[in-house]
């Protein structure tokens, strides 16, 4: 009896002491009674102590160190739930491990088969009891918990912006920002820069913003529901949405609003209207004019087109939306090459827009990304925050 | 030569449990796949066909003579039942022989009792394969072991080994992957038995050679069956089909967005993942490759670090399955009998957990596969058991009787409850029967239309309909599914299916739903797809509603020109 009970008590001591010493009223941490690896190590320790004829001291020392490490892992698991630091508490596992060894001094060791049976019975008892009492497990598996807890997820940082970053960059959760910055007293140009995301390397982002130096009125970052050009083209031009008396959904898009104010509304894209089914919805969201080109046309040409629209001698005011195209993916399967070409083209397009804005200081420009780079090697995609894009208000 | 008492015991145990299942259980296939495989074999598209796809064609060839003699009986199902019965009986026989009549009787009864519901009532080719292969391996190990220790009974040992090889082959026919899954356990068992087998190295090697040739030979033969030109598209489509239909281990949202950005419709992708893909132009195997290439980029890569915790959680769930209890009992027996082979307990546990981890990584951990793993671990524990101090006859008989009676009560009260082959949760078959659709009305309506009419069904309705046809032991009449097809499932591009709708003037299932002789059941959402790919304007009308099974008719709006013709 003593041979069974003492190891159990010793294991429970190592398992429960850190739990109790950090216990707070109202805490809700499910923790087993016996640490499985601690119990296994203690049983093996006894076996080595009593039955191994060689290298006994060395083996015992190794087991003791392992025991201590496991106990620390368990302590850290508990503390991580509470957000506490380990600090001086590191001595708790040391004390419990040493007392466990002392406690087991008078106990006779089991043979290997005995150890095996002991652990097997406990393991099975744990799993079956767990079906009945899930709130109080018999065993604790600290190593598995520790490994899972400390596993790093490469996508975590890009999905979760830090508060500092959000505050510094005027982050808004709103999916459509255009309506807050358009100016109903003058010409407006809304530019959607293809695949302009927010690089996780903040110096690069600063460099991108620096292109617009001199004309920036406001800037920030905002969230997209989906990473698609089509979504961005539509949702950003949404002025308002409501339900009418019959609960039917209805919405007003900005081109319609501006058309009602006497604006000429135009959409430009340097390509065919069938690409991404634009011919189906551009008209639907209210653009009276749309400019397409038969073959892929670079951003510089389209910028000239906008320039000529704005320079028209008539007194009509313009509301122009333009989706750029130079940075369209796929670019390459090679990460380094993708990165090089992407930034080359992106800075090119941003410069074109900045120049256009400088040329027309009386026109309100709203420049934003449609989505972060997708359709490229995953390794490259991971360099950008997921679903966040920058926006810049010029003039 | 054969131990008559042991054989009698094991047969009566197995007959008792088979009887319980037949009397109180609901006889049905555990998976619809079996229904259609048996259908293909019995000729639901017109002719008997042995191209069963998941099960080796040799199984089909073996059953063909029976189908010709008694075409009314579904021999595929009888074969599966027989495989379980034979396997469990042989396992029981070996248990009794190894442990003596008394302990053996109890453990053999326990094993059969714990397997009966999962294997007879939810019969499924994957489970049959695991059961046959496991018992095949058991026979081989047991026979070789006997040969190594007891040279006088050479002939008997050889017979047992041969039975093992036959069962192993049969298992590999029923499902190749389920057989492969057992190979690590088999190898581990030989490691445990090295001492006993050291005298019969040549025989062991010879046996391995025979197994290797027989098993891989029949597998290659089966693969070769699909090299015919008419099976080319069918085989080519299997990979994308499995990935799109069953694949869960990739970032679907990212794939959708990438496709949209490339100018393909994300909606097409959603259709494909919803098992609506029988369109041989828009969704031809080479067109789909663009989509599967994008998927390749977004497979989830699991962090190895989180594996132990995930596997422990899966183990938590495994504990609820009956076969786990069998494994545990057999492991206890290893300890109690002081076999000194208790290392097997940990070996087999680690191996099962490793394979569970592997399947979790693929997000393909389903109950029928998981139980297969535990079954291998359980059955292969048997060769390590041995005879030891006997209990009194009275205790043995009482225990056996108790197990039998408990089961009798359980089956009588809840024989309709089975464990779902995917989740392992206890489900009532009765619940599934509560389906208010008027299948007889639908059938009568189908029969009332001319033979040139065809029906395309949404996959779920197609599978539901199959449940309402004949009970599993009766074969579907020839040609009974000749006019009914699904947009999904694994039958698209199957040559018999293609042949039967082509002779009715249809060349592309989804595109041709607008033809006069095509009706669609339970799929009213194709308009968007048809207008995006083929026609200017399509309309869909409800023709009849059979309590939830709705018959639709698609048609072109007048003057709409086919874009293809422009």
């Amino acid at each position: 009896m003593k041979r069974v009970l003492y190891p159990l008590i010793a294991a429970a001591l190592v398992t429960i002491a850190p739990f109790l010493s950090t216990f707070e009223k109202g805490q809700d941490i499910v923790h087993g009674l016996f640490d499985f690896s601690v119990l296994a190590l203690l049983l093996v320790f006894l076996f080595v102590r009593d039955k191994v004829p060689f290298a006994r001291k060395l083996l015992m020392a190794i087991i003791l160190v392992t025991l201590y490490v496991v106990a620390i892992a368990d302590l850290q698991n508990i503390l991580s739930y509470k957000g506490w630091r380990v600090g001086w508490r590191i001595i708790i596992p040391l004390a419990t491990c040493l007392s466990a060894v002392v406690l087991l001094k008078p106990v006779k060791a089991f043979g290997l088969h005995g150890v095996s049976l002991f652990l097997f019975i406990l393991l099975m008892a744990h799993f079956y009891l767990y079906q009945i009492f899930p709130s109080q497990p018999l065993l604790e598996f600290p190593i598995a918990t520790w490994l899972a807890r400390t596993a790093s997820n490469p996508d975590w940082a890009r999905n979760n912006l830090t508060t500092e970053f959000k505050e510094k960059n005027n982050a808004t959760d709103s999916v459509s920002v255009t309506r807050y910055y358009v100016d109903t007293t003058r010409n407006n140009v809304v530019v959607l820069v293809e695949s302009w995301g927010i690089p996780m390397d903040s110096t690069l982002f600063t460099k991108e913003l620096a292109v617009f130096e001199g004309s920036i009125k406001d800037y920030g970052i905002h969230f997209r529901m989906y990473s698609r050009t089509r979504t961005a083209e539509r949702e950003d031009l949404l002025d308002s949405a409501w339900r009418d008396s019959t609960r039917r959904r209805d919405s007003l898009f900005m081109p319609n609003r501006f058309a009602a104010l006497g604006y000429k509304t135009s959409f430009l894209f340097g390509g065919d209207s069938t690409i991404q089914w634009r011919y189906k919805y551009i008209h639907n969201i209210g653009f009276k004019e749309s400019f397409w080109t038969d073959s892929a046309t670079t951003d510089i040409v389209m910028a000239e087109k906008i320039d000529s629209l704005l320079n028209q001698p008539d007194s009509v005011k313009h509301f122009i939306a333009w989706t750029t195209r130079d940075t369209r993916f796929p670019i390459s399967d090679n990460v380094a090459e993708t990165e090089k070409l992407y930034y080359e083209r992106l800075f090119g397009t941003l410069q074109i827009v900045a120049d256009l804005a400088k040329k027309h200081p009386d026109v309100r420009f709203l420049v934003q990304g449609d989505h972060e780079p997708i359709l490229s090697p995953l390794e490259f995609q991971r360099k950008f925050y997921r679903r966040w894009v920058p926006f810049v208000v010029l003039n | 030569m054969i131990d008559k008492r042991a054989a009698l015991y094991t047969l009566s145990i197995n007959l008792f449990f088979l009887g319980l299942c037949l009397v109180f259980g609901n006889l049905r296939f555990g998976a619809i796949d079996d229904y259609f495989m048996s259908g293909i074999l019995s000729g639901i598209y017109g002719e008997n066909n042995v191209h069963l796809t998941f099960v080796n064609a040799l199984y089909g060839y073996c059953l063909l003579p029976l189908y010709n003699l008694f075409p009314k009986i579904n021999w595929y199902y009888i074969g599966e039942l027989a495989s379980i019965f034979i396997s469990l009986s042989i396992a029981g026989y070996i248990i009794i022989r190894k442990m003596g009549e008394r302990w053996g009787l109890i453990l053999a009864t326990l094993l059969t009792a714990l397997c009966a519901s999962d294997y007879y009532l939810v019969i499924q080719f994957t489970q049959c394969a695991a059961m046959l292969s496991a018992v095949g391996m058991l026979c081989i190990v047991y026979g070789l072991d006997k040969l190594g220790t007891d040279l006088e009974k050479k002939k008997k040992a050889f017979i047992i080994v041969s039975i093992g090889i036959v069962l192993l082959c049969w298992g590999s026919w029923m499902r190749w992957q389920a057989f492969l899954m057992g190979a690590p356990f088999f190898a581990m068992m030989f490691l445990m038995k090295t001492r006993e087998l050291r005298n019969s190295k040549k025989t062991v090697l010879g046996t391995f050679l025979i197994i290797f040739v027989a098993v891989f030979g029949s597998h290659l033969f089966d693969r070769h069956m699909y090299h015919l030109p008419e099976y080319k598209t069918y085989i080519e489509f299997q990979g994308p089909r499995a990935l799109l239909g069953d694949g869960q281990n990739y970032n679907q949202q990212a794939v959708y967005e990438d496709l949209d950005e490339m100018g393909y419709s994300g909606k097409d992708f959603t259709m494909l993942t919803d098992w609506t893909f029988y369109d041989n132009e828009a969704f031809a195997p080479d067109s789909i490759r663009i989509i599967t290439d994008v998927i390749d980029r977004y497979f989830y890569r699991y962090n190895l670090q989180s594996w132990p915790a995930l596997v422990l959680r899966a183990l938590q769930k495994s504990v609820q399955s009956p076969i786990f209890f069998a494994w545990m009992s057999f492991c206890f027996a290893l300890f109690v009998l002081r076999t000194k082979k208790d290392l097997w307990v940990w070996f087999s546990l680690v191996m099962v957990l490793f394979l569970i981890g592997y399947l979790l990584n693929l997000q393909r951990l389903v109950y029928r596969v998981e139980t297969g793993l535990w079954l291998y671990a359980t059955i292969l524990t048997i060769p390590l058991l041995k005879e030891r101090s006997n209990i009194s006859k009275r205790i043995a008989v009482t225990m056996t009787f108790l197990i039998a009676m408990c089961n009798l009560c359980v089956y009588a009260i809840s024989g309709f409850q089975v464990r779902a082959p995917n989740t392992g949760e206890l489900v009532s078959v009765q619940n599934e029967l509560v389906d208010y659709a008027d299948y007889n009305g639908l059938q009568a309506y189908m029969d009332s239309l001319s033979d040139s009419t065809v029906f395309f069904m949404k996959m779920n309705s197609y599978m539901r309909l199959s449940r309402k046809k004949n009970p599993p032991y009766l074969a579907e009449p020839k040609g009974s599914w000749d006019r009914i097809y699904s947009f999904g499932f694994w039958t698209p591009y199957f040559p018999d299916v293609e042949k039967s709708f082509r002779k009715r003037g249809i060349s592309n299932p989804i595109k041709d739903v607008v033809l006069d002789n095509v009706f669609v059941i339970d799929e009213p959402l194709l308009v968007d797809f048809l207008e995006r790919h083929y026609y200017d304007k399509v309309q869909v009308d409800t023709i009849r509603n059979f309590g939830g099974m709705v018959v639709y008719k698609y048609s072109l709006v007048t003057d709409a020109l086919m874009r293809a013709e422009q």
Side-chain angles (χ1 to χ4, degrees), chain A residues 113 116-117 120 127-128 130-131 147 150 152 194 226-230 276 371 374-375 381 387, chain B residues 253 256-258 260-261 263 297-298 303 305 315-316 319-320 324 328 331-332 335 340 342 345-346:
Chain A
H113 296 291
S116 186
L117 179 61
F120 185 71
F127 281 121
Y128 278 102
Y130 192 80
Q131 311 297 323
L147 283 173
T150 55
S152 65
E194 174 64 44
Y226 297 99
S227 302
R228 307 188 297 180
T229 310
R230 199 140 53 102
Q276 293 175 353
H371 51 75
I374 56 171
L375 202 58
Q381 293 188 29
R387 298 243 196 277
Chain B
Q253 186 61 42
Y256 183 97
E257 285 165 357
D258 267 18
D260 231 61
E261 198 64 8
R297 186 185 292 151
Y298 290 108
N303 200 323
Q305 256 185 287
L315 185 58
Q316 210 83 266
V319 173
Q320 298 166 6
F324 182 89
M328 189 187 71
C331 286
F332 267 124
F335 285 115
K340 306 272 176 205
D342 43 295
V345 173
W346 304 103

Side-chain angles (χ1 to χ4, degrees), chain B residues 179-229:
Chain B
F179 153 77
L180 287 184
M181 199 165 87
F185 294 93
F186 195 38
M188 235 160 47
M189 179 44 62
F190 274 95
L191 281 182
M192 300 288 300
K193 285 270 177 193
T194 29
R195 186 182 296 171
E196 288 86 340
L197 295 175
R198 65 169 183 265
N199 293 329
S200 43
K201 279 184 208 115
K202 272 185 195 157
T203 331
V204 172
L205 282 178
T207 315
F208 268 116
L209 197 68
I210 295 170
I211 294 171
F212 190 81
V213 171
V215 165
F216 279 86
S218 46
H219 182 63
L220 286 178
F221 171 79
D222 181 58
R223 290 299 98 195
H224 185 74
M225 293 284 292
Y226 296 89
H227 284 178
L228 295 167

Side-chain angles (χ1 to χ4, degrees), chain A residues 173-176 192 194-196 222-236 368-374 385-389, chain B residues 251-258 260-261 266 270:
Chain A
D173 281 338
S174 172
V175 289
S176 67
L192 208 53
E194 174 64 44
S195 305
W196 186 22
H222 78 111
F223 187 73
R224 292 263 189 232
M225 290 297 283
Y226 297 99
S227 302
R228 307 188 297 180
T229 310
R230 199 140 53 102
T231 309
E233 269 174 4
R234 287 187 291 196
E235 75 181 6
D236 234 292
Q368 55 182 309
D370 59 351
H371 51 75
E372 83 280 7
I374 56 171
Y385 288 105
R386 180 139 171 85
R387 298 243 196 277
W388 285 85
V389 290
Chain B
N251 187 343
Q252 290 206 356
Q253 186 61 42
V255 173
Y256 183 97
E257 285 165 357
D258 267 18
D260 231 61
E261 198 64 8
T270 315

